[in-house]
Amino acid sequence: MSRVFVTHQLPGERLPLLAQQCDLSIWEQPGLLSAQGLRAGLAGCQGLVCLLTDRIDAQLLNAMPQLEFVSSMSVGVDHIDVEALTRRGIPLGHTPGVLVDTTADTAFALMLAAARRVAEADRYVRAGNWRLDNAWAPDFFVGKDVSGATLGIIGLGAIGQAIARRAAGFNMRIIAWNRSPMQVPGVEMVALEELLQSSDFVSVNVALTPTTRGLLDAQRISMLKPGVVLVNTARGGIVDEAALAQALDTGQVYAAGVDVFAQEPVAMDNPLLAHPRVVLAPHIGSATELTRARMANIAVDNALAALSGEPMPFCANPQVYR
Ligand code: GLV
């Protein structure tokens, strides 16, 4: 019987099915599994079901000659050396689709919260600063209008398109840049430079790959329209955090909503944490009960397919089947 290691207890109802098909072991402890824990748990296993917090690099893979499949409960696969897997003909499962609307909702929540200073206002009230001598005035907690503004979407995949649908309801002008040209009703495709220069709001929605790492570097951030609100629900590593913090300090960037960081959990000395106009979230783009259960179910279904010698329903490196 194949041995499969699961790096976290999963929601959804399908894990017991996997237990019937293989010799399953699950890391049950709270918190993140360490690299050593992953290595020890995976030793001798043919299958791995992992999270985006598990680093599956070439060194780990080299130590696992028996490995036959990997299934990640995530749409992004930047935590995995996909090329190394593909070279060995190992299929990699992921969970696209089911998290699209949930993640688009998160992007919109951060955009509205950053533009209208919701987190800052919440802290203000809780701190007892809302007093008769310090209260409603014409300029009290004024922010930026989302309605009617121009939204620039960097990466018009499924999540970018779902954000565009929401933006249409806010009567926004929607422009987008995508690596490969696309046609989406209501969205005007533009060059990246034009998007940076003319958007009042920018939403980052590309996957993290060697090409998109550092896409919004200091130079591109300096091209942003003064007063812009930037939202990143894609991956840290795409936006230069130090350059963004500096642009917030100078006021070029008015506010930001940041759900993803180059290092997660984020370090307490990350400059973005010090800025009052940054709305922070701990990588919760897809975090609803229903969506996480659906993601887990797909991750299990990908593993079940691999165990029965079938192609995974959602494979990130389908070339292994050719
Ligand atoms: C979330 O970031 C995911 O990749 O699923």
Side-chain angles (χ1 to χ4, degrees):
M1 206 176 214
S2 296
R3 287 178 58 200
V4 175
F5 181 51
V6 183
T7 65
H8 203 278
Q9 191 53 251
L10 298 183
E13 64 285 347
R14 295 180 71 75
L15 201 54
L17 282 181
L18 190 60
Q20 289 167 15
Q21 302 299 323
C22 63
D23 175 2
L24 193 70
S25 55
I26 306 176
W27 167 261
E28 303 270 8
Q29 308 301 317
L32 292 186
L33 176 62
S34 67
Q36 298 92 305
L38 176 58
R39 190 176 262 255
L42 190 58
C45 289
Q46 283 71 43
L48 170 66
V49 180
C50 65
L51 306 182
L52 57 81
T53 46
D54 301 311
R55 181 143 212 89
I56 318 296
D57 56 19
Q59 205 185 6
L60 177 73
L61 292 172
N62 287 342
M64 305 295 157
Q66 79 298 334
L67 191 65
E68 291 171 7
F69 71 86
V70 176
S71 171
S72 181
M73 187 191 138
S74 63
V75 63
V77 291
D78 50 283
H79 54 300
I80 297 172
D81 189 333
V82 185
E83 272 180 30
L85 285 181
T86 307
R87 271 197 303 275
R88 277 178 52 185
I90 298 178
L92 167 62
H94 70 149
T95 64
V98 288
L99 46 56
V100 166
D101 282 316
T102 305
T103 308
D105 287 348
T106 305
F108 237 83
L110 289 175
M111 197 162 101
L112 288 164
R116 298 300 306 277
R117 304 172 60 182
V118 174
E120 206 185 333
D122 177 280
R123 290 192 296 271
Y124 183 88
V125 175
R126 282 176 203 279
N129 291 328
W130 191 26
R131 301 181 306 264
L132 287 176
D133 61 333
N134 201 17
W136 202 98
D139 61 352
F140 186 61
F141 269 100
V142 293
K144 299 270 186 191
D145 275 311
V146 172
S147 296
T150 296
L151 170 64
I153 301 174
I154 299 181
L156 200 56
I159 296 171
Q161 291 181 38
I163 292 171
R165 288 195 292 279
R166 283 154 180 76
F170 280 75
N171 199 26
M172 299 182 93
R173 174 180 171 234
I174 307 159
I175 60 177
W177 172 82
N178 199 64
R179 190 169 37 99
S180 45
M182 344 195 14
Q183 280 197 325
V184 173
V187 180
E188 187 190 333
M189 300 306 294
V190 295
L192 184 55
E193 288 67 29
E194 186 182 339
L195 182 148
L196 298 173
Q197 285 162 358
S198 47
S199 299
D200 304 306
F201 291 83
V202 170
S203 177
V204 179
N205 298 103
V206 283
L208 178 61
T209 65
T211 347
T212 61
R213 186 173 288 283
L215 183 69
L216 289 197
D217 58 8
Q219 203 246 331
R220 289 212 173 94
I221 286 176
S222 75
M223 296 170 74
L224 286 164
K225 183 172 173 180
V228 69
V229 175
L230 181 92
V231 173
N232 185 5
T233 51
R235 280 292 184 273
I238 299 168
V239 180
D240 181 328
E241 291 169 350
L244 175 59
Q246 211 170 17
L248 281 153
D249 285 341
T250 64
Q252 188 205 353
V253 173
Y254 176 76
V258 186
D259 183 44
V260 286
F261 298 84
Q263 180 199 319
E264 296 183 1
V266 70
M268 287 310 290
D269 63 356
N270 184 306
L272 293 175
L273 271 61
H275 208 287
R277 293 265 175 86
V278 181
V279 182
L280 301 158
H283 203 144
I284 58 166
S286 64
T288 65
E289 287 173 15
L290 186 60
T291 292
R292 287 287 164 83
R294 286 175 169 160
M295 291 168 71
N297 287 346
I298 292 178
V300 170
D301 287 348
N302 280 333
L304 285 168
L307 280 171
S308 57
E310 302 288 326
M312 289 179 168
F314 295 96
C315 184
N317 59 346
Q319 56 276 45
V320 297
Y321 295 124
R322 283 185 211 126

